[in-house]
């Protein structure tokens, strides 16, 4: 599965007299079942090459098609990814070339779904500067997750045929364990052979509240059967019963402060979640336009003291939230990086996800050897004004 940057490249430079004169690219971007049908989204042409290589950098074209929805957070069992979160890129086209000085010919370099691939709105780090694809199962940075009993939280998975993912086991620290059921008798995730983009990127409702409200799992592995401070492992297995990966969830109690849950689109292009447990501060930043008004209507009317000379209009406010993670492990640095790099971030307000914008700038990635106890403080500005003014 591809992440930004993305290139479609044609080259014909094996022999000294080889030439590549022109290339066309037709892009179809689809969510759902893979098919090279219907109208194209983009048609591109280049009539020149550099060293007999033609490059189309298509990342920005593809990004315009992505749709994100944090509504998967409270799903029970397995669920498809939202339509538009994982997108099929289906490139087709022709090129004009000459092999070792022969007469130029024009032919099709791709038709149908020959070079189709799946992509998300993710990005590769600076240590992976060459375009790289993702093939792992868990679509999140590696960390132990801290949650309240009341937290819903879904885990994004790349359900490819190659990953051979078939089952989840929930195992608590006291030894209680059982399979993750999604119906009375089924533990099976969506079928990856469907070639449906929404079945290839899926979510598993394995947060504490998701498990608690899953009617099909055994009561012994529900969080209410365990104590605060306990933890459970989400063990992801293949068809042979071997462990592919494990994600740990810690049950945390916060008696003093009001925790806030933040959702964000991470480096893998999918929804991810984190809870800030400690002190929170909300502030309003107020703005206005001003003018000076004449307080006299005429020479006979006494001015009203209720109507001042200095008037305000377009008064509004944008609120900010300053949140603290509480003590976390050193590997949370990658999660903090994902939040600050994300262009889609939201805070849970009641039962609604409300858009916020992280305050970006310099951040120190903390280490136990330096800070001993690690706590991150982030500030978020709401994505809406307090008053919606339409002009």
């Amino acid at each position: 599965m591809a992440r930004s940057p993305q290139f479609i490249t044609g080259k014909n430079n094996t022999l000294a007299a080889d030439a590549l004169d022109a290339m066309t690219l037709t892009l179809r971007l689809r969510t759902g079942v893979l098919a090279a049908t219907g109208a194209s989204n983009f048609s591109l042409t280049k009539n020149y090459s550099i060293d007999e290589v033609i490059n189309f950098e298509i990342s920005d074209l593809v990004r315009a098609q992505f749709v994100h929805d944090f509504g998967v957070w409270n799903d029970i069992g397995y669920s498809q990814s939202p339509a538009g979160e994982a997108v099929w890129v289906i490139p087709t086209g022709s090129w004009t070339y000459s092999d070792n000085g022969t007469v130029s010919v024009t032919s099709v370099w791709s038709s149908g779904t020959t070079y189709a691939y799946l992509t998300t709105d993710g990005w590769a780090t600076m240590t992976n500067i060459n375009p790289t694809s993702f093939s792992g199962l868990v679509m999140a940075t590696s960390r132990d997750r801290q949650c309240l009993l009341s937290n819903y939280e879904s885990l994004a998975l790349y359900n490819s045929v190659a990953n051979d993912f078939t089952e989840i086991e929930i195992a608590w620290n006291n030894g209680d364990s059982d399979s993750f059921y999604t119906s009375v008798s089924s533990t099976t995730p969506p079928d990856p052979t469907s070639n449906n983009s929404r079945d290839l990127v899926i979510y598993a409702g394995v947060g504490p509240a998701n498990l608690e409200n899953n009617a099909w799992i055994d009561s012994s592995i529900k969080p209410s059967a365990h104590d605060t401070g306990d933890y459970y492992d989400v063990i992801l297995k293949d068809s042979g019963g071997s462990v592919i990966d494990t994600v740990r969830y810690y049950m945390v109690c916060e008696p003093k402060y009001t925790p806030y849950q933040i959702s964000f689109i991470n480096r893998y292009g999918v929804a991810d979640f984190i809870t800030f447990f400690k002190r929170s501060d909300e502030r309003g930043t107020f703005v206005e336009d001003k003018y000076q008004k004449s307080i006299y209507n005429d020479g006979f009317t006494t001015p009203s003291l209720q109507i001042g000379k200095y008037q305000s209009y377009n008064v509004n406010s944008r609120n900010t939230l300053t949140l603290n993670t509480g003590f976390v492990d050193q590997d949370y640095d990658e999660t903090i990086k994902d939040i600050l790099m994300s262009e889609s971030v939201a805070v849970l307000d009641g039962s609604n996800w409300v858009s916020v914008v992280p305050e970006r700038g310099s951040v120190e990635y903390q280490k136990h050897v330096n800070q001993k106890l690690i706590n991150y403080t982030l500030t978020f500005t709401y994505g809406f004004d307090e008053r919606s003014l339409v002009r």
Side-chain angles (χ1 to χ4, degrees):
M1 181 168 58
R3 295 182 287 174
S4 182
Q6 298 181 42
F7 299 90
I8 302 295
T9 302
K11 65 178 182 177
N12 188 38
N13 57 4
T14 303
L15 302 176
D18 284 348
L20 180 58
D21 302 320
M23 184 175 176
T24 66
L25 171 63
T26 298
L27 278 178
R28 289 180 174 85
L29 307 175
R30 300 287 187 267
T31 186
V33 178
L34 174 63
T37 56
S40 62
N41 296 82
F42 301 99
S43 295
L44 309 173
T45 301
K46 284 191 176 182
N47 295 316
Y48 64 92
S49 64
I50 299 176
D51 296 331
E52 315 314 323
V53 176
I54 294 177
N55 257 327
F56 295 94
E57 206 288 305
I58 63 170
S59 299
D60 287 342
L61 301 180
V62 176
R63 287 191 68 203
Q65 308 301 310
F66 290 120
V67 177
H68 300 296
D69 184 356
F70 296 123
V72 296
W73 69 300
N74 61 353
D75 286 349
I76 305 299
Y78 294 111
S79 57
Q80 293 181 315
S81 57
E85 187 164 81
V87 173
W88 286 112
V89 178
I90 308 167
T92 58
S94 62
W95 52 9
T96 301
Y97 63 94
S98 170
D99 286 336
N100 203 24
T102 60
V103 176
S104 294
V105 296
T106 298
S107 65
V108 172
W109 59 265
S110 177
S111 61
T113 60
T114 303
Y115 292 108
Y117 63 90
L118 189 68
T119 186
T120 59
D121 192 14
W123 49 275
T125 63
M126 63 181 179
T127 55
N128 294 316
I129 196 166
N130 292 323
T132 56
S133 60
F134 173 74
S135 59
L137 177 58
V138 177
M139 301 180 72
T141 56
S142 177
R143 68 184 188 274
D144 289 341
R145 294 167 179 253
Q146 299 182 5
C147 298
L148 295 170
L149 174 62
S150 57
N151 279 162
Y152 286 94
E153 188 172 308
S154 291
L155 181 66
L157 303 172
Y158 181 30
N159 186 35
S160 67
V161 173
N163 280 330
D164 190 27
F165 167 59
T166 58
E167 183 184 4
I168 289 177
E169 179 186 355
I170 305 296
W172 285 84
N173 57 300
N174 70 345
D176 291 339
S177 64
D178 200 5
S179 296
F180 176 71
Y181 281 89
T182 60
S183 69
V184 173
S185 59
S186 176
T187 61
T188 306
D191 181 9
T193 64
S194 67
N195 268 342
N196 187 326
S197 62
R198 301 183 64 192
D199 289 336
L200 291 170
V201 175
I202 63 173
Y203 287 86
V206 292
N210 308 69
L211 295 180
E212 190 65 34
N213 291 284
N214 187 333
W216 300 295
I217 67 172
D218 191 84
S219 60
S220 66
I221 61 169
K222 291 191 175 185
S224 59
H226 300 269
D227 298 323
T228 299
D230 286 350
Y231 65 84
Y232 61 91
D233 289 332
V234 176
I235 304 172
L236 306 149
K237 298 181 178 182
D238 64 19
S239 59
S242 297
V243 175
I244 305 172
D245 208 342
T246 300
V247 180
R248 179 163 291 180
Y249 287 77
Y250 280 92
M251 303 296 300
V252 176
C253 173
E254 177 45 61
K256 181 177 180 180
Y257 297 103
T258 300
Y260 281 83
Q261 197 169 6
I262 294 289
S263 60
F264 57 98
I265 299 302
N266 65 19
R267 69 186 64 187
Y268 302 99
V270 293
D272 205 346
F273 306 89
I274 181 176
T275 300
F276 288 75
F277 284 94
K278 295 302 180 181
R279 174 175 171 169
S280 60
D281 297 282
E282 186 168 3
R283 295 178 177 85
T285 301
F286 293 83
V287 296
E288 62 178 343
D289 293 318
K290 296 182 289 188
Y291 70 97
Q292 295 184 40
K293 172 184 174 65
S294 173
I295 63 173
Y296 296 100
N297 295 322
D298 53 52
F300 301 98
T301 306
T302 301
S304 171
L305 293 178
Q306 297 182 35
I307 301 174
K309 175 182 178 181
Y310 296 97
Q311 296 288 313
S312 299
Y313 66 102
N314 284 349
V315 178
N316 221 323
S317 171
R318 256 184 106 184
N319 291 358
T320 61
L321 276 173
T322 300
L323 306 177
N324 288 271
T325 58
F327 298 136
V328 295
D329 292 333
Q330 186 170 300
D331 55 9
Y332 265 66
D333 59 348
E334 293 299 317
T335 304
I336 298 301
K337 183 187 298 183
D338 273 12
I339 294 172
L340 295 175
M341 288 288 289
S342 179
E343 296 176 0
S344 297
V345 184
V347 62
L348 186 62
D349 185 351
S351 60
N352 298 312
W353 289 106
V354 180
S355 172
V356 292
V357 180
E359 185 177 286
R360 297 179 172 93
S362 178
V363 62
E364 179 182 2
Y365 297 122
Q366 301 175 35
K367 301 178 181 178
H368 287 304
V369 69
N370 296 335
Q371 280 81 16
K372 310 305 180 189
L373 297 175
I374 294 175
N375 171 76
Y376 284 99
T377 302
L378 296 185
T379 298
F380 302 88
T381 302
Y382 279 96
F384 301 91
D385 292 326
E386 189 70 22
R387 175 193 293 175
S388 295
L389 294 175
V390 180
R391 291 287 185 263

